[in-house]
């Protein structure tokens, strides 16, 4: 499924982010940037040990921020590492921090003239953000950014599994009424 926002395409696919042929893939990392499970583990496994060596020099990353590295052995030329919030009860800064992950990743992409980018569903695995709420924040942040900046040309969400895909699909259908 895809929608057009200004000059960009926002699309949803079900699959594994490490196989995406885009210029940059986004990693759902932690503040150390030294690897972990989930998407982070999968990306490091395919990128190879050079990625960890490179990340060690970055001095970590704050929650809600994003940092760029090469993709090493990945098909993607770059990895943009962002750190999502750990979900507690939704009453704190979780939603602002999650929105910031998408915004900062897209800013980093723009600064580096990246034309195509793939995102995983940040914070909805080990960090336990409820999928439906997270999908709304993710897709709202991205459509807002594309509306204002008209870059990158392609933003792809890569959802791992049927439930995540269907949840994002439903949310994108709701949003697409605002971007016919
Ligand atoms: N491709 C696409 N999506 C994936 C993949 C994949 N290969 N693998 C998992 N997902 P998570 P978080 C989905 O836990 O919640 C790590 O240890 C998964 O189903 O990867 O932000 C880090 O080092 C879920 O919907 O990231 C941090 O410590 C979504 O990606 C912590 O986990 C995010 O799940 C970050 O937790």
């Amino acid at each position: 499924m895809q929608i057009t926002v200004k000059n960009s395409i926002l699309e949803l696919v079900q699959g594994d982010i490490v196989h995406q042929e885009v210029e940059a893939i986004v990693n759902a990392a932690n503040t150390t940037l030294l690897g972990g499970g989930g998407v982070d583990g999968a990306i490091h496994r395919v990128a190879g040990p050079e990625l960890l060596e490179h990340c060690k020099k970055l001095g970590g990353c704050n929650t809600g921020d994003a940092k760029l590295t090469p993709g090493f052995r990945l098909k993607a030329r770059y990895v943009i590492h962002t750190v999502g919030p750990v979900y507690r009860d939704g009453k704190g800064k979780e939603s602002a921090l999650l929105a910031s992950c998408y915004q900062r990743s897209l800013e980093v992409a723009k600064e580096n003239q990246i034309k195509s980018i793939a995102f995983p569903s940040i914070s909805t695995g080990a960090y336990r953000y409820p999928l439906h709420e997270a999908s709304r924040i993710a897709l709202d942040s991205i459509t807002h950014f594309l509306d204002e900046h008209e870059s990158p040309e392609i933003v792809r969400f890569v959802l791992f599994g049927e439930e995540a895909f269907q949840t994002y699909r439903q949310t994108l259908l709701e949003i697409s009424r605002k971007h016919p």
Side-chain angles (χ1 to χ4, degrees):
M1 172 182 187
Q2 64 177 45
I3 67 165
T4 303
V5 184
K6 290 270 177 72
N7 293 323
S8 305
I9 290 171
L10 170 56
E11 61 188 16
L12 304 182
V13 302
Q14 195 177 327
D16 188 331
I17 199 159
V18 299
H19 303 308
Q20 302 301 309
E21 297 193 27
V22 285
E23 261 185 275
I25 62 173
V26 176
N27 183 16
N30 58 61
T31 54
T32 69
L33 294 186
L34 299 181
V39 185
D40 200 3
I43 288 176
H44 275 272
R45 266 194 303 281
V46 179
E50 298 94 333
L51 180 58
L52 180 59
E53 288 312 307
H54 190 100
C55 285
K56 282 180 184 168
K57 298 180 207 143
L58 298 180
C61 182
N62 290 328
T63 303
D65 201 1
K67 291 191 177 178
L68 183 88
T69 69
F72 298 101
R73 299 178 205 181
L74 287 158
K75 286 178 188 156
R77 184 169 174 202
Y78 300 108
V79 179
I80 296 173
H81 305 260
T82 189
V83 182
V86 176
Y87 187 85
R88 299 190 198 286
D89 55 11
K91 292 178 186 155
K93 293 187 177 148
E94 293 106 316
S95 61
L97 288 168
L98 185 59
S100 173
C101 288
Y102 290 99
Q103 166 143 3
R104 285 291 304 130
S105 298
L106 291 168
E107 282 169 5
V108 168
K110 190 175 162 97
E111 284 157 19
N112 291 280
Q113 289 88 44
I114 289 166
K115 293 189 171 56
S116 56
I117 185 170
F119 281 97
S121 173
I122 297 161
S123 281
T124 60
Y127 286 175
R128 304 183 307 273
Y129 216 112
L131 254 182
H132 187 258
E133 242 176 284
S135 70
R136 173 153 294 285
I137 294 164
L139 294 169
D140 273 346
S141 311
I142 289 172
T143 49
H144 184 72
F145 189 94
L146 296 178
D147 248 340
E148 285 199 336
H149 300 277
E150 303 194 30
S151 148
E153 289 170 14
I154 297 176
V155 179
R156 180 180 304 160
F157 252 97
V158 184
L159 287 327
F160 207 54
E162 183 71 16
E163 189 197 356
F165 179 73
Q166 291 304 340
T167 304
Y168 272 72
R169 188 175 165 277
Q170 192 53 44
T171 303
L172 190 60
L173 278 172
E174 288 160 21
I175 287 176
S176 65
R177 293 187 196 115
K178 287 190 263 166
H179 296 273

